[in-house]
Amino acid sequence: MKRSSIKFLHRVRIHGGEFDASARAMHRDGMTSSFQAAAEKLSIATNERKQMSTKTTFKRVALVTVAALGFGLLSTVPSQAVVSIDTLALSSATAAQTTAETYTATSAVVTLSFAGAVADSMTITASVTGNTSTELAQPYLRLVETTSAVVGDTLTGTSGAALAVNTVTAVNTAVNTNAISASVRTIAKYAVYLGLGDAITAPTKAGVYTIKLTPANKTSGGPLNATAQTLTITVTTDATLSTVATSATSVLTAGDTTTSAAAVVAPTTDDVVTGAMTVSTTAEAATIKVTLKNASATTTTGESYTATIAGSGTLGSGTMAAAGTSGSAKGRAITVKAGDVVSVYPDGTSGVATITISSALGVILATEKVTFFGDAATVVTTVASVVLATGTNTDAISVVVKDAASTVVSNATLYVTSDATTKVSNSYATSCTWTAATQNYLCSLTGVAAGTANITVGTKSSSTATTGVNGTAVAVRVGSTTAASIAWTLDKSSYVPGEKATLTATLLDSTGLLVAAGDYASIIKTGGLKPSRELGVSSDTLTATSILGVVDGVRTYTIYMPLTEGDLTLTGTTAGTAVTGTAPSALSGLAVANQAVAISLTASVSSASGSAAIDAANEATDAANAATDAANAAAEAADAATAAAQDAADAVAALSTEVATLIAALKAQITSLTNLVIKIQKKVKA
């Protein structure tokens, strides 16, 4: 029977590769052939087992040999140091620098910490992985703190050159941090920042840098728990280094100031500048020193500026030298290099020139004015001193000269002439000086004797001159320097305590006219003026016998009234002593009739006016108090009304509650009655 013809019932299960008794019974027809096949198979299987046994023995021997060799190799592998609990952490994932900074107190700090045996070492490497700047700054590590660690660029274990705290490591260098104790964590902290070159200067361009900080186990190169950290450093332009001008200082000086080198180098205040309109491209009428400032008010020379002129004149520019400028006329709108000055030149027209200084972005930074004038066309003279003294009277008259366009002329040569030289001696004298601050000329006159004279001022140099212009003559008076009388007055008749008062002494000559300016000695008898009560603090001294500083016949004193009420009397005596049987001797310049004359002034010191003010204030206070009382009464009434309303509301609430209770009781009764009726109905039906 063929093996393929042997069949089993579906119900027969083969377990463990053996037949059970029922299976054998069910196949008794093919028993002989089956056993023969089995015998053949058994013989083959037995041989295979013998062969497998031999192969397995060789394999086992080989395996044991390899294992033995492996154990032998394991016994000779060198041990490797493995750091543990290692971390790398940043104080912040972002940091900021300006183009004026490298390391600062706000720089990000990276902290390396690990545990290990003595001389175990870890490193940190800083590298740039991203950059938006147009330049490449490099990251630097600055050692700022250590704990149980020795740090160095070239350390091996704990030997070699160690870095001190605040030492900066070389760029792109793996910084070694070495353990010096196995029982304490090794910690090193490094500030991370950007710099340029070996000198580590600040970055000059703005940008955003991405810095990767990578840890490594230097001792063995073994596995780490610490992971690389990423730091983003944003570099911004330092405000103080900005070249954009947002403001400026400008100082205008007359001419090129060649006679004042200091003013050229560092002018601080503006001149009032006027100049002749005669055309020139080399002789400046004015110089403008411009100092550009950025948004932080720091001087900047990083950009140029523009200057434009409106009105008369032209502009030029050049460097400011120790003795002037090297500029020349260029036009009415020019670009000026930062640090250079603007020169203003006449163009032949009269009028005011307005110079506007603007930044490169068009921001107006400053304006200056220069006045150009033509030939003198009008002269206006004003008397400055009412009474002249004999001798020199400085600044006695004021003169304004203008051209045909009514522009003030500042370079005129003026001649002063008196029509009575026995009184005022000036005769075509050049005694006038230009004053820029007031835009006029002040002229001196020389008094000869008491009396009057008419003064003419103009540009004509003589009575026969055919060119020039003269102003209208003005009358002046030379007063006497001998006081014949003196009068004392107070500016008021009554004062409140402590009030300021003005005491005036008026000196007249023998004709009753004001005396000339000057000092007048021996006018009051020894002791001066005596107050009947003590004057207030800061009062002028009145004890002098002379009247000093008289101007146009008048001298004033400032005094303060006593602090208490009551009349104040000032008394004294004019100088001069009576001699028995004869007229008084003239011990002062006063007329004899005005010598040894009593002086007496009385003023009322009362707080009446002050009391009126106090009364008014009191009345105002009373009115305010009354208003407050009324407001309080109104508030109390409002409170009472509120309370009454609350009581009413409470009563309504109570009544509502009571009604609700009664209604509920009524509903209950109705329900009970309804149930009773239903019950009765049921009984009736039954």
Side-chain angles (χ1 to χ4, degrees), residues 485-489 504-508 514 552-555:
S485 66
I486 182 170
W488 296 89
T489 57
T504 302
T506 304
L507 284 72
L508 304 175
L514 295 171
D552 294 336
V554 173
R555 167 71 160 91

Side-chain angles (χ1 to χ4, degrees), residues 531-554:
S532 60
R533 296 190 297 130
E534 185 177 359
L535 297 176
V537 178
S538 299
S539 295
D540 288 341
T541 301
L542 303 177
T543 58
T545 60
S546 299
I547 307 297
L548 307 178
V550 173
V551 177
D552 294 336
V554 173

Side-chain angles (χ1 to χ4, degrees), residues 482-508:
T482 301
S485 66
I486 182 170
W488 296 89
T489 57
L490 285 166
D491 60 335
K492 292 169 60 176
S493 60
S494 63
Y495 302 86
V496 296
E499 186 177 355
K500 178 181 178 181
T502 300
L503 173 67
T504 302
T506 304
L507 284 72
L508 304 175

Side-chain angles (χ1 to χ4, degrees), residues 596-611:
V597 175
I599 303 169
S600 180
L601 297 91
T602 300
S604 173
V605 181
S606 171
S607 59
S609 57
S611 297

Side-chain angles (χ1 to χ4, degrees), residues 162-175:
L163 299 181
V165 171
N166 293 328
T167 300
V168 182
T169 65
V171 65
N172 292 328
T173 298
V175 183

Side-chain angles (χ1 to χ4, degrees), residues 242-301:
S242 173
T243 60
V244 178
T246 59
S247 64
T249 60
S250 66
V251 181
L252 178 72
T253 55
D256 61 8
T257 60
T258 56
T259 59
S260 177
V264 173
V265 175
T268 58
T269 57
D270 278 349
D271 289 339
V272 177
V273 179
T274 59
M277 69 181 190
T278 305
V279 176
S280 175
T281 59
T282 57
E284 301 95 332
T287 301
I288 304 173
K289 171 67 175 176
V290 178
T291 303
L292 301 178
K293 306 283 186 179
N294 61 24
S296 66
T298 302
T299 298
T300 177
T301 58

